[in-house]
Amino acid sequence: MNSIIEGVLQKKAAAVAEAAKPDLLLLVHRIPYPPNKGDKIRSYHLLKHLAGKYRVHLATFVDDEADWQYVPNVEALCASSHFARLDPKKGKLRSAGALATGKSLSLAYYRDAGMQQWVTHTMREHGIARVMMFSSVMAQYAEQFPAARRVIDFCDVDSDKWRQYAEKKKWPMSWVYRHEAKSLLDYERRVAEICDASLFVSEPEAELFRGLAPENRAKIGFFNNGVDTEYFSPERSYDNPFAAGEQAMVFTGAMDYWPNIDAVKWFAAEVLPRVRAAVPQARFYIVGSRPAPEVQALAGDAIAVTGTVPDVRPYLAHCSVAVAPLRIARGIQNKVLEAMAMARPVVASPQASRGHRRRQRARTARRRRP
């Protein structure tokens, strides 16, 4: 009987504690679950952290039909939530219209009247005074609430990523990407102006934006990505997915993402032949969801394209080396952190390793301080 009473009291105390939490609106451009790719890892842990301190009201998009099954996982962390289906075809049509009028393609792609209505209703119904935005495109849903304390996690300087795209593409796409780089930077600066704080994934990324938006320098900061070292642990036992005698080189990532596509194509054409000339048993494994047709076309004797796998850890645990040959990259790369946590050697391009090197130098400098 006492245990039953104690259980009831504990539940009541938990409910009282939950009700006492302040309300917070969280806006995320992609459902923050499962945490199996860069932005989802960061947004999921952000949601999990905020849910411990606030009653979180989440508005987010679902751009992959397979992700609808994870809605209950996210709802369990939220006081209320709104999930909007993001149709790529309709989004591209909105972007085309924005291009014709000189506006940002990204903002138009993520524009949704139903989401704006839900946000406006939720803000008023709960008297919400705190808003957290994840990525620049979600700031458009909080512009009309100047009385709220607004913080944005830009993660990366997305406008600079579009600038890099423009340098790699031929006309007319180079012109389109330059247009987006300029229009999105203009919006990023405006968002930074109206927000109480603008955060990025690393100090170098924050410093880049300070140079692009010097008028907001004092409000720009960062918080690093991390990795779950208990989950990505080399001490666990994993089945070997490779054939006997193979020397596997592994790249992990979402394979419908253009910087990843560009990275594996470049590596397959420029690096892999040289490696195999010296090590004939070397094989390149491209491990990641939704491989684009041009990635699938790489598959052959020297290259394996796995598509979605239930767990990337066996591939990391048994590979000879993890590679991150990104030529377009911003901030901290989770794929590098995960491979390092698994105690695997990593060969990375300067672009992929830049944020990690500066992060390590900063830590070393702090340790050396008297």
Side-chain angles (χ1 to χ4, degrees), residues 303-349:
I303 301 176
V305 179
T306 69
T308 301
V309 297
D311 192 346
V312 300
R313 293 175 297 173
Y315 291 87
L316 293 174
H318 292 283
C319 72
S320 297
V321 62
V323 296
L326 294 158
R327 300 194 294 171
I328 298 173
R330 299 249 53 97
I332 302 293
Q333 297 297 315
N334 287 304
K335 57 175 61 68
V336 173
L337 294 178
E338 291 166 359
M340 293 174 67
M342 294 290 289
R344 304 318 300 150
V346 179
V347 176
S349 64

mmCIF file of all heavy atoms in Angstrom, residues 303-349:
data_model
loop_
_atom_site.group_PDB
_atom_site.id
_atom_site.type_symbol
_atom_site.label_atom_id
_atom_site.label_comp_id
_atom_site.label_asym_id
_atom_site.label_seq_id
_atom_site.Cartn_x
_atom_site.Cartn_y
_atom_site.Cartn_z
ATOM 1 N N ILE A 303 33.942 -0.033 -55.238
ATOM 2 C CA ILE A 303 33.084 0.861 -54.447
ATOM 3 C C ILE A 303 31.782 0.163 -54.106
ATOM 4 O O ILE A 303 31.124 -0.416 -54.976
ATOM 5 C CB ILE A 303 32.781 2.168 -55.211
ATOM 6 C CG1 ILE A 303 34.073 2.904 -55.560
ATOM 7 C CG2 ILE A 303 31.860 3.067 -54.390
ATOM 8 C CD1 ILE A 303 33.862 4.159 -56.397
ATOM 9 N N ALA A 304 31.400 0.212 -52.844
ATOM 10 C CA ALA A 304 30.111 -0.313 -52.385
ATOM 11 C C ALA A 304 29.247 0.849 -51.919
ATOM 12 O O ALA A 304 29.703 1.701 -51.149
ATOM 13 C CB ALA A 304 30.312 -1.307 -51.247
ATOM 14 N N VAL A 305 28.008 0.890 -52.403
ATOM 15 C CA VAL A 305 27.039 1.897 -51.977
ATOM 16 C C VAL A 305 25.961 1.162 -51.184
ATOM 17 O O VAL A 305 25.180 0.401 -51.743
ATOM 18 C CB VAL A 305 26.427 2.628 -53.179
ATOM 19 C CG1 VAL A 305 25.405 3.669 -52.716
ATOM 20 C CG2 VAL A 305 27.523 3.290 -54.016
ATOM 21 N N THR A 306 25.914 1.367 -49.883
ATOM 22 C CA THR A 306 25.049 0.558 -49.019
ATOM 23 C C THR A 306 23.611 1.039 -48.957
ATOM 24 O O THR A 306 22.707 0.256 -48.679
ATOM 25 C CB THR A 306 25.596 0.521 -47.583
ATOM 26 O OG1 THR A 306 25.449 1.812 -46.994
ATOM 27 C CG2 THR A 306 27.059 0.087 -47.551
ATOM 28 N N GLY A 307 23.373 2.329 -49.166
ATOM 29 C CA GLY A 307 22.068 2.886 -48.850
ATOM 30 C C GLY A 307 21.892 2.937 -47.336
ATOM 31 O O GLY A 307 22.874 2.881 -46.578
ATOM 32 N N THR A 308 20.648 3.032 -46.893
ATOM 33 C CA THR A 308 20.378 3.104 -45.456
ATOM 34 C C THR A 308 20.807 1.816 -44.760
ATOM 35 O O THR A 308 20.539 0.718 -45.242
ATOM 36 C CB THR A 308 18.877 3.325 -45.202
ATOM 37 O OG1 THR A 308 18.477 4.547 -45.854
ATOM 38 C CG2 THR A 308 18.577 3.426 -43.716
ATOM 39 N N VAL A 309 21.493 1.969 -43.633
ATOM 40 C CA VAL A 309 21.876 0.817 -42.816
ATOM 41 C C VAL A 309 21.297 1.025 -41.418
ATOM 42 O O VAL A 309 21.119 2.160 -40.975
ATOM 43 C CB VAL A 309 23.412 0.649 -42.739
ATOM 44 C CG1 VAL A 309 23.996 0.367 -44.114
ATOM 45 C CG2 VAL A 309 24.076 1.872 -42.110
ATOM 46 N N PRO A 310 20.971 -0.061 -40.722
ATOM 47 C CA PRO A 310 20.385 0.096 -39.382
ATOM 48 C C PRO A 310 21.348 0.680 -38.370
ATOM 49 O O PRO A 310 20.927 1.264 -37.369
ATOM 50 C CB PRO A 310 19.981 -1.333 -38.996
ATOM 51 C CG PRO A 310 20.828 -2.211 -39.854
ATOM 52 C CD PRO A 310 21.034 -1.469 -41.133
ATOM 53 N N ASP A 311 22.651 0.551 -38.629
ATOM 54 C CA ASP A 311 23.646 0.988 -37.650
ATOM 55 C C ASP A 311 24.965 1.227 -38.382
ATOM 56 O O ASP A 311 25.481 0.324 -39.059
ATOM 57 C CB ASP A 311 23.821 -0.082 -36.578
ATOM 58 C CG ASP A 311 24.618 0.393 -35.361
ATOM 59 O OD1 ASP A 311 25.264 1.449 -35.456
ATOM 60 O OD2 ASP A 311 24.582 -0.303 -34.337
ATOM 61 N N VAL A 312 25.506 2.435 -38.269
ATOM 62 C CA VAL A 312 26.780 2.724 -38.949
ATOM 63 C C VAL A 312 27.986 2.240 -38.153
ATOM 64 O O VAL A 312 29.092 2.138 -38.682
ATOM 65 C CB VAL A 312 26.946 4.237 -39.224
ATOM 66 C CG1 VAL A 312 25.829 4.755 -40.101
ATOM 67 C CG2 VAL A 312 27.058 5.039 -37.928
ATOM 68 N N ARG A 313 27.781 1.905 -36.871
ATOM 69 C CA ARG A 313 28.920 1.575 -36.018
ATOM 70 C C ARG A 313 29.723 0.368 -36.487
ATOM 71 O O ARG A 313 30.964 0.405 -36.427
ATOM 72 C CB ARG A 313 28.455 1.398 -34.573
ATOM 73 C CG ARG A 313 27.958 2.675 -33.922
ATOM 74 C CD ARG A 313 27.394 2.413 -32.535
ATOM 75 N NE ARG A 313 26.236 1.530 -32.606
ATOM 76 C CZ ARG A 313 25.627 1.022 -31.534
ATOM 77 N NH1 ARG A 313 26.078 1.304 -30.327
ATOM 78 N NH2 ARG A 313 24.572 0.242 -31.681
ATOM 79 N N PRO A 314 29.093 -0.725 -36.980
ATOM 80 C CA PRO A 314 29.917 -1.831 -37.477
ATOM 81 C C PRO A 314 30.850 -1.422 -38.614
ATOM 82 O O PRO A 314 31.984 -1.914 -38.707
ATOM 83 C CB PRO A 314 28.874 -2.847 -37.950
ATOM 84 C CG PRO A 314 27.666 -2.556 -37.127
ATOM 85 C CD PRO A 314 27.668 -1.071 -36.974
ATOM 86 N N TYR A 315 30.388 -0.512 -39.474
ATOM 87 C CA TYR A 315 31.213 -0.056 -40.588
ATOM 88 C C TYR A 315 32.403 0.757 -40.079
ATOM 89 O O TYR A 315 33.509 0.660 -40.621
ATOM 90 C CB TYR A 315 30.370 0.764 -41.559
ATOM 91 C CG TYR A 315 29.358 -0.065 -42.296
ATOM 92 C CD1 TYR A 315 28.089 -0.304 -41.750
ATOM 93 C CD2 TYR A 315 29.663 -0.637 -43.524
ATOM 94 C CE1 TYR A 315 27.159 -1.087 -42.415
ATOM 95 C CE2 TYR A 315 28.730 -1.426 -44.197
ATOM 96 C CZ TYR A 315 27.489 -1.649 -43.635
ATOM 97 O OH TYR A 315 26.573 -2.445 -44.292
ATOM 98 N N LEU A 316 32.181 1.550 -39.046
ATOM 99 C CA LEU A 316 33.274 2.318 -38.474
ATOM 100 C C LEU A 316 34.215 1.426 -37.662
ATOM 101 O O LEU A 316 35.436 1.560 -37.738
ATOM 102 C CB LEU A 316 32.722 3.440 -37.585
ATOM 103 C CG LEU A 316 31.956 4.556 -38.306
ATOM 104 C CD1 LEU A 316 31.337 5.513 -37.295
ATOM 105 C CD2 LEU A 316 32.862 5.316 -39.265
ATOM 106 N N ALA A 317 33.637 0.516 -36.911
ATOM 107 C CA ALA A 317 34.443 -0.331 -36.024
ATOM 108 C C ALA A 317 35.436 -1.193 -36.789
ATOM 109 O O ALA A 317 36.556 -1.436 -36.316
ATOM 110 C CB ALA A 317 33.534 -1.212 -35.178
ATOM 111 N N HIS A 318 35.059 -1.655 -37.973
ATOM 112 C CA HIS A 318 35.893 -2.612 -38.705
ATOM 113 C C HIS A 318 36.601 -2.015 -39.919
ATOM 114 O O HIS A 318 37.298 -2.738 -40.635
ATOM 115 C CB HIS A 318 35.044 -3.807 -39.130
ATOM 116 C CG HIS A 318 34.572 -4.652 -37.986
ATOM 117 N ND1 HIS A 318 35.379 -5.546 -37.331
ATOM 118 C CD2 HIS A 318 33.358 -4.702 -37.355
ATOM 119 C CE1 HIS A 318 34.695 -6.143 -36.364
ATOM 120 N NE2 HIS A 318 33.472 -5.643 -36.343
ATOM 121 N N CYS A 319 36.433 -0.710 -40.160
ATOM 122 C CA CYS A 319 37.101 -0.126 -41.319
ATOM 123 C C CYS A 319 38.580 0.110 -41.025
ATOM 124 O O CYS A 319 38.998 0.221 -39.871
ATOM 125 C CB CYS A 319 36.428 1.179 -41.731
ATOM 126 S SG CYS A 319 36.701 2.588 -40.620
ATOM 127 N N SER A 320 39.356 0.192 -42.083
ATOM 128 C CA SER A 320 40.771 0.527 -41.933
ATOM 129 C C SER A 320 40.946 2.022 -41.696
ATOM 130 O O SER A 320 41.836 2.445 -40.965
ATOM 131 C CB SER A 320 41.547 0.101 -43.184
ATOM 132 O OG SER A 320 41.493 -1.302 -43.359
ATOM 133 N N VAL A 321 40.083 2.804 -42.348
ATOM 134 C CA VAL A 321 40.161 4.251 -42.190
ATOM 135 C C VAL A 321 38.802 4.856 -42.538
ATOM 136 O O VAL A 321 38.090 4.355 -43.414
ATOM 137 C CB VAL A 321 41.271 4.849 -43.085
ATOM 138 C CG1 VAL A 321 40.976 4.586 -44.567
ATOM 139 C CG2 VAL A 321 41.457 6.339 -42.842
ATOM 140 N N ALA A 322 38.421 5.906 -41.818
ATOM 141 C CA ALA A 322 37.242 6.702 -42.163
ATOM 142 C C ALA A 322 37.715 7.907 -42.958
ATOM 143 O O ALA A 322 38.750 8.503 -42.639
ATOM 144 C CB ALA A 322 36.509 7.153 -40.903
ATOM 145 N N VAL A 323 36.976 8.247 -44.005
ATOM 146 C CA VAL A 323 37.389 9.367 -44.852
ATOM 147 C C VAL A 323 36.310 10.439 -44.846
ATOM 148 O O VAL A 323 35.114 10.147 -44.774
ATOM 149 C CB VAL A 323 37.687 8.907 -46.295
ATOM 150 C CG1 VAL A 323 38.872 7.952 -46.312
ATOM 151 C CG2 VAL A 323 36.474 8.267 -46.947
ATOM 152 N N ALA A 324 36.740 11.680 -44.924
ATOM 153 C CA ALA A 324 35.830 12.826 -44.989
ATOM 154 C C ALA A 324 36.381 13.805 -46.023
ATOM 155 O O ALA A 324 36.906 14.864 -45.681
ATOM 156 C CB ALA A 324 35.706 13.495 -43.619
ATOM 157 N N PRO A 325 36.280 13.451 -47.314
ATOM 158 C CA PRO A 325 36.880 14.263 -48.375
ATOM 159 C C PRO A 325 35.994 15.407 -48.847
ATOM 160 O O PRO A 325 35.842 15.651 -50.050
ATOM 161 C CB PRO A 325 37.099 13.227 -49.487
ATOM 162 C CG PRO A 325 35.965 12.281 -49.323
ATOM 163 C CD PRO A 325 35.680 12.213 -47.842
ATOM 164 N N LEU A 326 35.400 16.108 -47.915
ATOM 165 C CA LEU A 326 34.470 17.178 -48.265
ATOM 166 C C LEU A 326 35.206 18.382 -48.850
ATOM 167 O O LEU A 326 36.191 18.863 -48.275
ATOM 168 C CB LEU A 326 33.684 17.608 -47.027
ATOM 169 C CG LEU A 326 32.729 16.550 -46.462
ATOM 170 C CD1 LEU A 326 32.417 16.843 -45.008
ATOM 171 C CD2 LEU A 326 31.463 16.479 -47.282
ATOM 172 N N ARG A 327 34.690 18.869 -49.961
ATOM 173 C CA ARG A 327 35.257 20.082 -50.555
ATOM 174 C C ARG A 327 34.408 21.304 -50.225
ATOM 175 O O ARG A 327 34.855 22.441 -50.377
ATOM 176 C CB ARG A 327 35.373 19.918 -52.069
ATOM 177 C CG ARG A 327 36.278 18.759 -52.470
ATOM 178 C CD ARG A 327 36.657 18.815 -53.928
ATOM 179 N NE ARG A 327 35.497 18.627 -54.810
ATOM 180 C CZ ARG A 327 35.543 18.807 -56.137
ATOM 181 N NH1 ARG A 327 36.684 19.180 -56.705
ATOM 182 N NH2 ARG A 327 34.472 18.607 -56.862
ATOM 183 N N ILE A 328 33.186 21.044 -49.773
ATOM 184 C CA ILE A 328 32.291 22.100 -49.294
ATOM 185 C C ILE A 328 31.852 21.687 -47.901
ATOM 186 O O ILE A 328 31.200 20.659 -47.733
ATOM 187 C CB ILE A 328 31.073 22.268 -50.212
ATOM 188 C CG1 ILE A 328 31.511 22.694 -51.611
ATOM 189 C CG2 ILE A 328 30.079 23.269 -49.625
ATOM 190 C CD1 ILE A 328 30.383 22.708 -52.615
ATOM 191 N N ALA A 329 32.220 22.454 -46.901
ATOM 192 C CA ALA A 329 31.898 22.066 -45.521
ATOM 193 C C ALA A 329 31.863 23.290 -44.644
ATOM 194 O O ALA A 329 32.606 24.248 -44.858
ATOM 195 C CB ALA A 329 32.923 21.066 -44.990
ATOM 196 N N ARG A 330 31.005 23.229 -43.641
ATOM 197 C CA ARG A 330 30.886 24.292 -42.659
ATOM 198 C C ARG A 330 30.897 23.658 -41.281
ATOM 199 O O ARG A 330 30.355 22.578 -41.063
ATOM 200 C CB ARG A 330 29.581 25.071 -42.847
ATOM 201 C CG ARG A 330 29.452 25.766 -44.193
ATOM 202 C CD ARG A 330 29.519 27.280 -44.046
ATOM 203 N NE ARG A 330 30.688 27.709 -43.327
ATOM 204 C CZ ARG A 330 31.803 28.118 -43.917
ATOM 205 N NH1 ARG A 330 31.921 28.082 -45.218
ATOM 206 N NH2 ARG A 330 32.808 28.531 -43.186
ATOM 207 N N GLY A 331 31.536 24.314 -40.331
ATOM 208 C CA GLY A 331 31.432 23.922 -38.933
ATOM 209 C C GLY A 331 32.068 22.585 -38.599
ATOM 210 O O GLY A 331 33.038 22.141 -39.222
ATOM 211 N N ILE A 332 31.490 21.929 -37.583
ATOM 212 C CA ILE A 332 31.984 20.654 -37.073
ATOM 213 C C ILE A 332 31.276 19.517 -37.803
ATOM 214 O O ILE A 332 30.060 19.521 -37.937
ATOM 215 C CB ILE A 332 31.725 20.535 -35.563
ATOM 216 C CG1 ILE A 332 32.391 21.695 -34.811
ATOM 217 C CG2 ILE A 332 32.206 19.195 -35.033
ATOM 218 C CD1 ILE A 332 33.891 21.691 -34.834
ATOM 219 N N GLN A 333 32.019 18.514 -38.257
ATOM 220 C CA GLN A 333 31.458 17.371 -38.966
ATOM 221 C C GLN A 333 31.213 16.220 -37.993
ATOM 222 O O GLN A 333 32.158 15.667 -37.425
ATOM 223 C CB GLN A 333 32.403 16.935 -40.087
ATOM 224 C CG GLN A 333 32.618 17.983 -41.159
ATOM 225 C CD GLN A 333 31.325 18.317 -41.888
ATOM 226 O OE1 GLN A 333 30.555 17.425 -42.266
ATOM 227 N NE2 GLN A 333 31.080 19.598 -42.084
ATOM 228 N N ASN A 334 29.942 15.842 -37.820
ATOM 229 C CA ASN A 334 29.628 14.733 -36.922
ATOM 230 C C ASN A 334 30.272 13.434 -37.371
ATOM 231 O O ASN A 334 30.652 12.603 -36.542
ATOM 232 C CB ASN A 334 28.109 14.555 -36.816
ATOM 233 C CG ASN A 334 27.452 15.646 -36.005
ATOM 234 O OD1 ASN A 334 27.807 15.867 -34.859
ATOM 235 N ND2 ASN A 334 26.509 16.340 -36.598
ATOM 236 N N LYS A 335 30.398 13.233 -38.676
ATOM 237 C CA LYS A 335 30.996 11.998 -39.178
ATOM 238 C C LYS A 335 32.431 11.851 -38.687
ATOM 239 O O LYS A 335 32.891 10.740 -38.437
ATOM 240 C CB LYS A 335 30.923 11.939 -40.699
ATOM 241 C CG LYS A 335 31.562 13.101 -41.432
ATOM 242 C CD LYS A 335 31.550 12.891 -42.940
ATOM 243 C CE LYS A 335 30.176 12.761 -43.536
ATOM 244 N NZ LYS A 335 29.390 13.988 -43.482
ATOM 245 N N VAL A 336 33.125 12.981 -38.544
ATOM 246 C CA VAL A 336 34.505 12.950 -38.042
ATOM 247 C C VAL A 336 34.516 12.640 -36.547
ATOM 248 O O VAL A 336 35.298 11.817 -36.071
ATOM 249 C CB VAL A 336 35.215 14.288 -38.339
ATOM 250 C CG1 VAL A 336 36.594 14.330 -37.676
ATOM 251 C CG2 VAL A 336 35.351 14.492 -39.847
ATOM 252 N N LEU A 337 33.628 13.285 -35.799
ATOM 253 C CA LEU A 337 33.542 13.029 -34.360
ATOM 254 C C LEU A 337 33.219 11.569 -34.074
ATOM 255 O O LEU A 337 33.812 10.947 -33.182
ATOM 256 C CB LEU A 337 32.477 13.925 -33.725
ATOM 257 C CG LEU A 337 32.724 15.438 -33.722
ATOM 258 C CD1 LEU A 337 31.541 16.148 -33.084
ATOM 259 C CD2 LEU A 337 34.004 15.792 -33.000
ATOM 260 N N GLU A 338 32.270 11.013 -34.833
ATOM 261 C CA GLU A 338 31.846 9.633 -34.593
ATOM 262 C C GLU A 338 32.959 8.639 -34.894
ATOM 263 O O GLU A 338 33.169 7.680 -34.140
ATOM 264 C CB GLU A 338 30.598 9.335 -35.429
ATOM 265 C CG GLU A 338 29.371 10.095 -34.945
ATOM 266 C CD GLU A 338 28.215 10.094 -35.932
ATOM 267 O OE1 GLU A 338 28.362 9.515 -37.019
ATOM 268 O OE2 GLU A 338 27.162 10.682 -35.603
ATOM 269 N N ALA A 339 33.673 8.864 -35.988
ATOM 270 C CA ALA A 339 34.782 7.969 -36.329
ATOM 271 C C ALA A 339 35.893 8.048 -35.292
ATOM 272 O O ALA A 339 36.479 7.029 -34.897
ATOM 273 C CB ALA A 339 35.329 8.314 -37.710
ATOM 274 N N MET A 340 36.173 9.242 -34.811
ATOM 275 C CA MET A 340 37.204 9.406 -33.784
ATOM 276 C C MET A 340 36.774 8.753 -32.480
ATOM 277 O O MET A 340 37.589 8.140 -31.787
ATOM 278 C CB MET A 340 37.509 10.890 -33.592
ATOM 279 C CG MET A 340 38.173 11.543 -34.799
ATOM 280 S SD MET A 340 38.385 13.331 -34.620
ATOM 281 C CE MET A 340 39.585 13.403 -33.297
ATOM 282 N N ALA A 341 35.478 8.872 -32.140
ATOM 283 C CA ALA A 341 34.982 8.228 -30.926
ATOM 284 C C ALA A 341 35.115 6.715 -31.015
ATOM 285 O O ALA A 341 35.333 6.040 -29.998
ATOM 286 C CB ALA A 341 33.516 8.607 -30.689
ATOM 287 N N MET A 342 35.028 6.184 -32.235
ATOM 288 C CA MET A 342 35.188 4.746 -32.451
ATOM 289 C C MET A 342 36.667 4.344 -32.569
ATOM 290 O O MET A 342 36.978 3.200 -32.901
ATOM 291 C CB MET A 342 34.444 4.326 -33.723
ATOM 292 C CG MET A 342 32.936 4.478 -33.648
ATOM 293 S SD MET A 342 32.150 3.298 -32.530
ATOM 294 C CE MET A 342 32.345 1.782 -33.428
ATOM 295 N N ALA A 343 37.563 5.290 -32.294
ATOM 296 C CA ALA A 343 39.008 5.044 -32.288
ATOM 297 C C ALA A 343 39.532 4.624 -33.655
ATOM 298 O O ALA A 343 40.458 3.813 -33.754
ATOM 299 C CB ALA A 343 39.375 4.002 -31.233
ATOM 300 N N ARG A 344 38.953 5.201 -34.725
ATOM 301 C CA ARG A 344 39.414 4.911 -36.065
ATOM 302 C C ARG A 344 40.222 6.078 -36.597
ATOM 303 O O ARG A 344 39.933 7.245 -36.295
ATOM 304 C CB ARG A 344 38.242 4.642 -37.020
ATOM 305 C CG ARG A 344 37.291 3.542 -36.611
ATOM 306 C CD ARG A 344 38.017 2.317 -36.070
ATOM 307 N NE ARG A 344 38.923 1.723 -37.042
ATOM 308 C CZ ARG A 344 40.047 1.073 -36.722
ATOM 309 N NH1 ARG A 344 40.414 0.940 -35.455
ATOM 310 N NH2 ARG A 344 40.795 0.554 -37.666
ATOM 311 N N PRO A 345 41.257 5.781 -37.397
ATOM 312 C CA PRO A 345 41.986 6.870 -38.052
ATOM 313 C C PRO A 345 41.082 7.577 -39.049
ATOM 314 O O PRO A 345 40.230 6.933 -39.686
ATOM 315 C CB PRO A 345 43.142 6.153 -38.754
ATOM 316 C CG PRO A 345 42.697 4.739 -38.910
ATOM 317 C CD PRO A 345 41.811 4.455 -37.738
ATOM 318 N N VAL A 346 41.215 8.873 -39.162
ATOM 319 C CA VAL A 346 40.376 9.670 -40.052
ATOM 320 C C VAL A 346 41.265 10.447 -41.013
ATOM 321 O O VAL A 346 42.220 11.116 -40.587
ATOM 322 C CB VAL A 346 39.488 10.655 -39.258
ATOM 323 C CG1 VAL A 346 38.637 11.482 -40.211
ATOM 324 C CG2 VAL A 346 38.614 9.909 -38.264
ATOM 325 N N VAL A 347 40.967 10.345 -42.297
ATOM 326 C CA VAL A 347 41.631 11.160 -43.310
ATOM 327 C C VAL A 347 40.595 12.152 -43.815
ATOM 328 O O VAL A 347 39.566 11.751 -44.371
ATOM 329 C CB VAL A 347 42.170 10.303 -44.467
ATOM 330 C CG1 VAL A 347 42.775 11.209 -45.543
ATOM 331 C CG2 VAL A 347 43.220 9.328 -43.964
ATOM 332 N N ALA A 348 40.851 13.428 -43.598
ATOM 333 C CA ALA A 348 39.856 14.452 -43.905
ATOM 334 C C ALA A 348 40.475 15.562 -44.742
ATOM 335 O O ALA A 348 41.675 15.850 -44.653
ATOM 336 C CB ALA A 348 39.271 15.028 -42.619
ATOM 337 N N SER A 349 39.637 16.176 -45.542
ATOM 338 C CA SER A 349 40.058 17.343 -46.318
ATOM 339 C C SER A 349 40.249 18.527 -45.379
ATOM 340 O O SER A 349 39.743 18.533 -44.248
ATOM 341 C CB SER A 349 38.989 17.678 -47.358
ATOM 342 O OG SER A 349 37.786 18.065 -46.704
#
